[in-house]
Amino acid sequence: MARTSRWARSLLVAWVVAFALSPLPAAASGTTSGLTGLVEVKTADVLPPQAVRLSLYYDSAGADFEPAVAFGILPGLEVAVNGSTAEGKLGLGAKIGLLAETARQPGLALGFTWGGADDPSFFGTISKRLSSLWRLHGGVATSRTAVLPFVGVSGLLNPVQAGDGAGLPPITLLIEADPSLQVGTRFNLARGLDATLAIRDLKSLQAGLGYQTSF
């Protein structure tokens, strides 16, 4: 347990230091594993090279804190390290973007997660914009015991922002099934900084903070 506490503190300290010292870029979304996506469902999006995203989720079902750090290593390649304080484990994840999303074709990515906040699995995922505000995501994940499809929808709820600054921050609706149903919202609080609230199966709450920057 002491080892778990050490790496958990190290990830949290790294998150705070990067938030305090780094410039503020445009925000991007990420999952509890650290890989880009909704909350649990990974999308075909990939972090650009030299980008780093730090996140911290809390899951009320297991009273679990889930810190993660994701990196854009090369064009079309991101890797992530995540953790679970309840399980006392570190995890790894990676995603390779095979096709970039265009007006005519969906984006396609393949990847894996191993340990930490996620069950070991390999996954393939696609993303396609349905309109200027809404995107559809879906794919399949394979584990040692099952093959599970997943699907998600994300959409900007308030695209028009008040010019006097009195309006709400941009809010994105997140709906996903993997196969458990999860509904949430993501708030872009500042450039590079976002907060996420989600409810799974009307039973447990997930809350998270994420920050993205580049070097």
Side-chain angles (χ1 to χ4, degrees):
M1 195 66 186
R3 182 179 298 176
T4 298
S5 299
R6 284 196 296 270
W7 65 252
R9 284 197 299 268
S10 297
L11 283 175
L12 289 174
V13 169
W15 192 95
V16 172
V17 171
F19 177 79
L21 299 180
S22 302
L24 296 177
S29 56
T31 63
T32 58
S33 69
L35 297 174
T36 52
L38 304 182
V39 180
E40 300 290 348
V41 167
K42 285 76 173 173
T43 66
D45 301 332
V46 179
L47 284 176
Q50 298 182 316
V52 58
R53 178 178 170 87
L54 303 105
S55 61
L56 176 65
Y57 274 88
Y58 174 76
D59 188 343
S60 67
D64 187 18
F65 286 94
E66 299 167 342
V69 183
F71 303 93
I73 302 298
L74 298 169
L77 173 63
E78 69 174 58
V79 298
V81 178
N82 64 72
S84 168
T85 58
E87 297 292 333
K89 297 178 181 178
L90 283 174
L92 298 174
K95 183 163 53 169
I96 300 173
L98 298 181
L99 289 176
E101 182 181 352
T102 68
R104 293 181 176 271
Q105 73 178 21
L108 170 65
L110 300 177
F112 75 90
T113 58
W114 191 271
D118 278 341
D119 292 331
S121 69
F122 291 90
F123 64 87
T125 181
I126 62 173
S127 296
K128 183 67 176 70
R129 186 167 295 282
L130 303 177
S131 69
S132 60
L133 302 179
W134 294 92
R135 293 180 76 199
L136 177 66
H137 317 277
V140 63
T142 64
S143 67
R144 295 171 179 170
T145 59
V147 177
L148 296 176
F150 56 85
V151 64
V153 176
S154 58
L156 188 61
L157 296 180
N158 57 339
V160 178
Q161 300 297 304
D164 58 4
L168 294 172
I171 302 172
T172 302
L173 176 66
L174 311 172
I175 303 174
E176 59 184 36
D178 62 346
S180 298
L181 178 65
Q182 188 152 265
V183 179
T185 52
R186 177 165 284 129
F187 303 85
N188 290 335
L189 302 178
R191 192 165 180 240
L193 177 66
D194 59 76
T196 302
L197 291 174
I199 298 176
R200 177 179 288 277
D201 287 338
L202 299 179
K203 296 178 182 178
S204 61
L205 172 70
Q206 282 185 312
L209 284 174
Y211 179 72
Q212 182 179 328
T213 187
S214 59
F215 300 98

